[in-house]
């Protein structure tokens, strides 16, 4: 697919499809902030988790992409494949190893989906706790035994199932592609805006409560916004 192909620069087009593998390695670092209310010593552990995940994913993802690129024997043929990554693995490692690696990739994507669902449920819970979500009295309930927001989790899971069943394959692929790229733009703009107003934020030493103005790094700033209260 070349840059002259119709829809190359559109959502789900060739440019986004080429970027999705690289961007997918960096998506998900924000989940540490979304789950900060359930972390021990979140003021220290959550920013470290965010920075550590970005560094680890960036290095490992880059090595993976470089390895795949170097392993391509026939670029036109691999580009024409429905699954170029699987084709590269099959050419270099054989069908058996290809299937084993694809199973590992499927398990990794399943785990990533679980993390996304949990993170979204915590966002829904936080909005419901502040009465900023439809049916918030129901959705903000916390199970006394597991101490987790089960109604919010079930709601996010149900919406995901509905989207998978209702959307055709092409639309679902575009949704997945856009959800990989657009958050990166959102986070980038948030950091730029934060750095713009950072000098006007008050600074306090030894905060006893979560307050975004007390945090002076972008990762800690995001952490503070989502971790003001505990579930119990």
């Amino acid at each position: 697919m070349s840059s002259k192909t119709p829809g190359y620069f559109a959502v789900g087009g060739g440019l986004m499809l080429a970027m999705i593998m690289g961007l997918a390695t960096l998506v998900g670092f924000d989940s540490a902030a979304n789950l900060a209310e359930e972390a021990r010593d979140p003021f220290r552990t959550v920013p470290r988790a965010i920075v550590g995940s970005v560094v680890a994913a960036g290095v490992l993802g880059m090595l993976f992409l470089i390895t795949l690129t170097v392993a391509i024997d026939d670029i036109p043929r691999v580009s024409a494949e429905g699954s170029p990554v699987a084709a590269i693995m099959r050419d270099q490692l054989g069908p058996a190893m290809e299937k084993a690696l694809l199973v590992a990739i499927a398990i990794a994507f399943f785990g990533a989906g679980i993390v996304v669902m949990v993170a979204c449920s915590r966002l829904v819970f936080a909005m419901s706790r502040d009465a900023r979500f439809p049916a918030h009295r129901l959705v903000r309930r916390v199970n006394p035994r597991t101490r987790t927001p089960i109604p919010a989790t079930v709601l996010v899971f149900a919406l995901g199932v509905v989207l998978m069943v209702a959307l055709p394959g092409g639309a679902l692929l575009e949704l997945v592609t856009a959800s990989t790229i657009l958050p990166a733009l959102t986070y980038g703009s948030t950091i730029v805006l934060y750095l713009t107003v950072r000098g006007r934020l008050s600074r306090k030493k030894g905060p006893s409560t979560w307050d975004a103005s007390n945090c002076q790094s972008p990762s800690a700033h995001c952490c503070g916004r989502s971790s003001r209260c505990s579930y119990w």
Side-chain angles (χ1 to χ4, degrees):
M1 181 179 292
S2 66
S3 60
K4 297 181 180 180
T5 303
Y8 181 80
F9 296 100
V11 175
L15 180 61
M16 283 193 175
L17 290 176
M19 296 169 61
I20 188 172
M21 186 176 295
L23 289 172
T25 62
L26 298 175
V27 171
F29 64 88
D30 57 310
S31 298
N34 296 331
L35 297 174
E37 294 185 349
E38 298 164 77
R40 293 183 179 180
D41 192 12
F43 189 77
R44 292 180 178 272
T45 58
V46 173
R48 290 177 180 177
I50 293 175
V51 175
S53 64
V54 171
V55 172
V59 172
L60 296 177
M62 181 61 68
L63 291 176
F64 180 68
L65 293 177
I66 292 175
T67 302
L68 285 178
T69 303
V70 173
I72 297 177
D73 292 329
D74 187 346
I75 293 179
R77 180 181 62 82
V78 171
S79 300
E81 291 279 350
S83 179
V85 174
I88 297 172
M89 293 180 179
R90 183 172 58 252
D91 293 342
Q92 300 297 329
L93 304 175
M97 186 58 68
E98 172 205 359
K99 293 180 180 179
L101 290 175
L102 290 179
V103 169
I105 292 174
I107 294 175
F109 269 93
F110 176 79
I114 293 295
V115 172
V116 170
M117 182 183 70
V118 172
C120 289
S121 68
R122 270 50 180 182
L123 293 176
V124 171
F125 167 80
M127 296 175 64
S128 300
R129 180 180 55 196
D130 297 337
R132 298 294 187 269
F133 197 83
H136 60 273
R137 289 184 176 85
L138 171 63
V139 182
R140 69 184 180 188
R141 294 179 181 176
V142 176
N143 185 279
R145 183 174 63 86
T146 62
R147 296 183 177 180
T148 54
I150 292 180
T153 305
V154 172
L155 174 63
V156 173
F157 174 76
L159 290 176
V161 172
V162 170
L163 288 175
M164 290 185 64
V165 173
L167 292 178
L172 185 61
L173 178 60
E174 290 189 6
L175 179 62
V176 172
T177 305
S179 65
T180 303
I181 297 174
L182 295 180
L185 300 178
T186 303
Y187 296 139
S189 61
T190 301
I191 292 175
V192 171
L193 292 174
Y194 168 75
L195 294 176
T196 302
V197 302
R198 180 179 181 180
R200 298 196 294 269
L201 296 177
S202 60
R203 299 187 180 187
K204 299 179 181 179
K205 294 183 179 181
S208 58
T209 57
W210 281 102
D211 185 352
S213 63
N214 295 332
C215 305
Q216 292 304 313
S217 67
S219 57
H221 180 69
C222 295
C223 167
R225 286 192 306 169
S226 59
S227 310
R228 292 173 295 174
C229 305
S230 61
Y231 289 142
W232 50 88

